[in-house]
Amino acid sequence: MSTSQKKTARGLFTLGIATVIALTPSFTSSAAEASSRPWMNTSLSPEQRAAKLVSAMDLSQKIHMLSGTKLTGPHTPATGYIPPIPELGIPEFVQSDGPAGVRNGKNHATKFPAPLTYASSWDPAIAGLEGRVAGEEARALGTDQLYGPGFNIARNPLGGRGFEYYGEDPYLSGTMATANVKGMQSAGVIATLKHYVTNNQETSRLISNSEVPERALHEIYMKPFEMAVEQAHPGSVMCSYNSINGTHGCSNYYTLTKYLRHAWGFNGYVVTDFPASWSTEDYKNGLNVEMPQTFTSLEPAVRLALKQGRLSEKDIDARVQETLTVMFRFGIFDRTKNIHPINVDRGDTAAQKIAEQGAVLLKNQNAALPLSDKTARHIAVFGDSAKFAVGGGGSSNVKPTKTDTALDEITKRSHGAKVTYSLGTDLQKAAREAKKADTAIVFVTNLTMEAADRPTIKLLPHQNKLIEKVAAANKNTIVVVNTGGPIAMPWLNNVAAVLNMWQPGQAGGKATAALLYGDVNPSGHLTQTFPQEDGQWPANTREQFPGKPLGLKPIYSEGVFVGYRWYVANNQIPLFPFGYGLSYTTFAYGTPRLYKTSGAKNAPIKVTFTVTNTGKRAGATVPQIYIGKPSQQGIPVPPKELAGFRKIYLCPGETKTVTITVEPRQLAYWNTQADRFVVMPGLYRIYLGSNVNNTPSMVTYTVR
């Protein structure tokens, strides 16, 4: 009986798998082995090695590679796992969750801030840092592949996994995902783009059908995946639970083969969400591995599909070869796993830096922040999230290597000031405590997690009442927000400052204290628009989100008018616009000028301008370039679309000249008749500013 037959016989039981792992922890090649197993010849390309191995496999062994299982046990804990085939020298293939650090169900690893945090840094180096450190920790823990980054578009602020994604703009999301993948794969760990595609809600996510116009599908939802595939060459893509225009995400030839592989040149392998395969024929349409194994990938089901002609062995060979090519490409066949303790301090330092760089200062009236050792001699702290490390639930729920709290770190940083704490449930007592203090700091949070959408952007009533009472008693009230997405702020006009820390992870306490005291200057900017109230957003009807009936049929009738595109087009004034973020210093942008503007459709646009730090503190700003496309041929276009950005660090009084290149793709729209991106001739408006609603400079560019 072959290894794959044994696997089928034992079904999903993991006891036998654990035994196999213990006996065959890794495989190394030798001269004799290279002779008997030519696929172990490291002088061959990964593609050549995979082809030789597939030609030596019997059908059962090939079917073995079409699926995996869940494994959390004493040997190499994993979220997803393909057992080894010792007789062929195929090693175990260990996979773990990874959007915010390594989560395998057993090991401790760095609990990074929510991915929305490092997207809010608007600094690809920060996304790359998270990827690199997470990848290093994955290698140390024996993991070959991480399920991350996740970067579906935040179509609606109520989406439950908005904290785990990069925001509402495809260009920004694709840029940050590209950096994260490069960082992760630099450690020799396979990155996994997820969830491909239109996985924009948690309601009925297993069985919903996203009805998306073709233009929106390409311009908004597929675009960030296309960018990451073409620029970062990820080893894997995870197909989504939901259907796309009537065809399941893991069965979808249009998305998985026509575009992912053929148009974009993806050379990795496709793995399902857990589980998301509906038919054995999925392997014909582009799926490589079902995880974990269900009826669709059981050997009898595959053999029946072959017998009935619904699947060919050529299809199986292609899928298995693609998977094995990735394993060879990342050295999984050629290295002995060196499982060892992770570098806890390195991870914690990285987590703190990411939390600091992604925090967004939303309000700072009369320079209430940063806190001063001279004036803040008595600080009253309120709210439960001041006393625990805040993170999202589900795939991002990493077991931290260490934790801190904002309350403890503020107390340490206060240099002997009196710091009091109250949960704030007794509102009258909270008001009395606030009145005694020089400064009051109220911490608030909301729950965001996988598998459930949010019912509202409002905080729980007792949190709003606490802020109102404390603010009425102390004019120097600061609100620290720990959230996974936009929230309403009915108390905004009554508080002195608002610092949005998102879900800051295991080092969030140190990061919060550093920002409050000005040891670090806030420089994050919003990647999601903050509405003023419930319903002030695109996709605001039940038909659109989560879809009728019961979330089964979300209709994307807003088209390309997602996020800020909708607000600007409809003259809607949000609470805080996309791209918004304050600093403890000030900046001035010079007048932009265009460089090398040939006017040809395939020519990039170079926008050059100066940035000056006009304040008294060192800090960073994010100049943003938006494009207004010509409205011709009856094609509706958003008034502004993000086309470029750069994070710039400056000392007080320092000026730098900045050039941002706008690629032709950022000028293009998806032409459904031509089935491709097209740059229209006409007048393009190029805006420069600090957020989408603050673009005082504009120049024009004509495409002939």
Side-chain angles (χ1 to χ4, degrees):
M1 182 181 288
S2 72
T3 301
S4 57
Q5 288 172 322
K6 292 176 184 176
K7 173 185 163 187
T8 302
R10 67 174 177 260
L12 299 178
F13 292 103
T14 59
L15 180 60
I17 296 172
T19 302
V20 172
I21 298 170
L23 293 174
T24 57
S26 61
F27 298 86
T28 55
S29 61
S30 64
E33 184 178 47
S35 175
S36 62
R37 296 174 175 171
W39 52 89
M40 297 305 293
N41 182 351
T42 57
S43 68
L44 300 176
S45 70
E47 291 78 9
Q48 291 171 324
R49 297 174 71 181
K52 288 183 179 295
L53 178 49
V54 169
S55 68
M57 299 172 77
D58 63 33
L59 182 58
S60 291
Q61 290 165 335
K62 295 173 188 175
I63 294 173
H64 170 97
M65 295 301 300
L66 296 178
S67 66
T69 185
K70 293 181 179 180
L71 174 68
T72 301
H75 304 287
T76 322
T79 306
Y81 180 80
I82 300 178
I85 305 179
E87 59 266 34
L88 293 174
I90 298 177
E92 62 173 349
F93 194 4
V94 180
Q95 304 162 18
S96 294
D97 284 327
V102 184
R103 175 186 175 270
N104 60 24
K106 180 179 180 181
N107 292 121
H108 289 264
T110 301
K111 185 181 184 72
F112 288 100
L116 183 57
T117 310
Y118 42 93
S120 298
S121 72
W122 289 63
D123 186 351
I126 292 298
L129 172 65
E130 192 281 338
R132 184 168 63 254
V133 177
E136 291 170 357
E137 294 187 0
R139 281 288 297 273
L141 296 171
T143 294
D144 303 307
Q145 175 175 348
L146 285 175
Y147 297 149
F151 58 114
N152 292 107
I153 294 296
R155 176 184 177 230
N156 185 302
L158 299 181
R161 297 182 85 168
F163 72 95
E164 204 171 57
Y165 302 149
Y166 292 161
E168 66 192 33
D169 182 78
Y171 176 74
L172 177 63
S173 295
T175 301
M176 302 305 281
T178 294
N180 190 251
V181 168
K182 288 181 177 179
M184 196 178 295
Q185 294 192 163
S186 72
V189 170
I190 300 166
T192 312
L193 307 184
K194 67 175 195 175
H195 307 85
Y196 183 65
V197 64
T198 67
N199 185 175
N200 307 115
Q201 65 187 55
E202 298 302 286
T203 303
S204 300
R205 64 175 179 160
L206 303 182
I207 53 176
S208 65
N209 174 41
S210 300
E211 295 198 0
V212 194
E214 184 182 350
R215 182 183 166 202
L217 181 62
H218 284 271
E219 284 188 33
I220 304 296
Y221 301 102
M222 288 171 63
K223 181 177 181 177
F225 287 90
E226 180 180 4
M227 290 176 64
V229 165
E230 293 181 345
Q231 297 172 21
H233 310 292
S236 184
V237 165
M238 178 179 285
C239 50
S240 57
Y241 286 123
N242 57 281
S243 297
I244 304 109
N245 294 328
T247 303
H248 290 109
C250 296
S251 313
N252 202 307
Y253 182 88
Y254 184 89
T255 57
L256 295 180
T257 300
K258 181 177 179 179
Y259 284 99
L260 180 64
R261 287 200 181 277
H262 293 171
W264 305 345
F266 175 65
N267 62 356
Y269 88 98
V270 176
V271 62
T272 66
D273 210 330
F274 273 52
S277 176
W278 289 78
S279 169
T280 305
E281 294 170 58
D282 293 355
Y283 297 110
K284 180 186 290 291
N285 293 319
L287 175 66
N288 294 87
V289 174
E290 182 189 36
M291 190 72 75
Q293 186 182 58
T294 68
F295 67 93
T296 66
S297 54
L298 289 171
E299 185 163 339
V302 176
R303 287 184 176 273
L304 179 62
L306 289 169
K307 183 178 180 180
Q308 295 176 340
R310 295 182 288 112
L311 193 67
S312 70
E313 192 162 356
K314 184 178 179 181
D315 295 325
I316 294 175
D317 288 352
R319 299 292 85 80
V320 173
Q321 185 167 327
E322 288 160 354
T323 303
L324 292 172
T325 297
V326 174
M327 295 176 69
F328 281 117
R329 173 183 157 198
F330 282 84
I332 296 172
F333 278 79
D334 305 318
R335 63 185 180 224
T336 299
K337 285 189 175 177
N338 177 24
I339 298 176
H340 59 275
I342 66 174
N343 188 330
V344 172
D345 290 339
R346 171 170 163 72
D348 197 62
T349 299
Q352 180 180 346
K353 182 175 183 178
I354 293 166
E356 291 168 351
Q357 294 299 308
V360 184
L361 182 63
L362 295 174
K363 181 178 181 180
N364 194 22
Q365 182 176 306
N366 299 324
L369 290 175
L371 299 178
S372 165
D373 290 334
K374 294 181 179 179
T375 59
R377 300 304 302 161
H378 181 179
I379 302 170
V381 179
F382 304 91
D384 56 358
S385 60
K387 296 191 72 173
F388 64 85
V390 182
S395 299
S396 294
N397 192 17
V398 177
K399 293 184 177 181
T401 56
K402 58 168 68 174
T403 58
D404 65 13
T405 72
L407 177 61
D408 289 342
E409 298 302 325
I410 290 170
T411 302
K412 293 176 188 176
R413 179 59 184 80
S414 67
H415 296 161
K418 181 180 180 181
V419 179
T420 60
Y421 173 75
S422 171
L423 184 61
T425 51
D426 185 333
L427 296 180
Q428 298 306 318
K429 179 182 177 182
R432 291 193 298 270
E433 291 294 323
K435 191 171 184 178
K436 296 175 187 176
D438 301 318
T439 300
I441 307 176
V442 183
F443 284 77
V444 292
T445 187
N446 64 348
L447 180 64
T448 54
M449 62 183 296
E450 182 179 349
D453 289 323
R454 300 164 63 192
T456 176
I457 63 169
K458 297 176 182 177
L459 294 173
L460 292 174
H462 76 271
Q463 294 188 95
N464 284 329
K465 290 178 181 178
L466 174 61
I467 295 171
E468 291 167 0
K469 284 291 185 182
V470 170
N474 190 317
K475 66 178 182 179
N476 292 321
T477 293
I478 297 157
V479 179
V480 176
V481 180
N482 294 138
T483 180
I487 62 167
M489 300 181 184
W491 33 261
L492 181 62
N493 291 335
N494 300 323
V495 301
V498 180
L499 177 64
N500 183 4
M501 293 298 303
W502 303 111
Q503 295 170 340
Q506 71 175 53
K510 292 189 284 289
T512 301
L515 288 158
L516 288 173
Y517 275 93
D519 302 330
V520 175
N521 194 342
S523 60
H525 289 250
L526 296 180
T527 66
Q528 281 187 259
T529 306
F530 272 46
Q532 295 192 41
E533 58 187 2
D534 278 332
Q536 192 204 20
W537 51 66
N540 55 27
T541 69
R542 293 292 297 176
E543 289 78 9
Q544 292 172 309
F545 183 96
K548 290 183 176 181
L550 303 174
L552 297 178
K553 189 181 177 182
I555 298 174
Y556 289 53
S557 54
E558 72 279 7
V560 298
F561 291 87
V562 176
Y564 67 87
R565 290 165 167 80
W566 178 87
Y567 285 88
V568 177
N570 290 278
N571 297 313
Q572 289 285 324
I573 305 300
L575 189 64
F576 297 109
F578 175 84
Y580 178 88
L582 301 177
S583 170
Y584 295 152
T585 189
T586 54
F587 299 93
Y589 299 167
T591 301
R593 64 183 189 276
L594 301 184
Y595 171 71
K596 198 178 179 181
T597 56
S598 71
K601 292 183 179 181
N602 61 350
I605 302 172
K606 295 182 182 293
V607 186
T608 299
F609 53 93
T610 59
V611 180
T612 302
N613 183 337
T614 56
K616 298 180 179 180
R617 288 177 176 265
T621 186
V622 181
Q624 300 156 36
I625 298 293
Y626 294 88
I627 294 293
K629 300 171 185 173
S631 181
Q632 294 181 0
Q633 305 166 18
I635 299 165
V637 294
K640 294 179 183 178
E641 297 179 81
L642 183 68
F645 62 89
R646 181 80 53 78
K647 193 161 193 176
I648 307 296
Y649 295 84
L650 296 167
C651 295
E654 183 181 8
T655 296
K656 287 184 179 179
T657 298
V658 179
T659 297
I660 295 178
T661 299
V662 179
E663 298 296 338
R665 177 61 59 86
Q666 298 308 110
L667 305 179
Y669 80 101
W670 182 262
N671 186 307
T672 55
Q673 285 73 40
D675 200 29
R676 60 186 175 87
F677 279 100
V678 172
V679 177
M680 287 185 289
L683 184 72
Y684 288 75
R685 291 174 172 82
I686 302 169
Y687 301 93
L688 169 65
S690 60
N691 65 69
V692 72
N693 283 0
N694 181 25
T695 54
S697 298
M698 190 268 288
V699 292
T700 60
Y701 177 78
T702 301
V703 173
R704 294 184 290 275

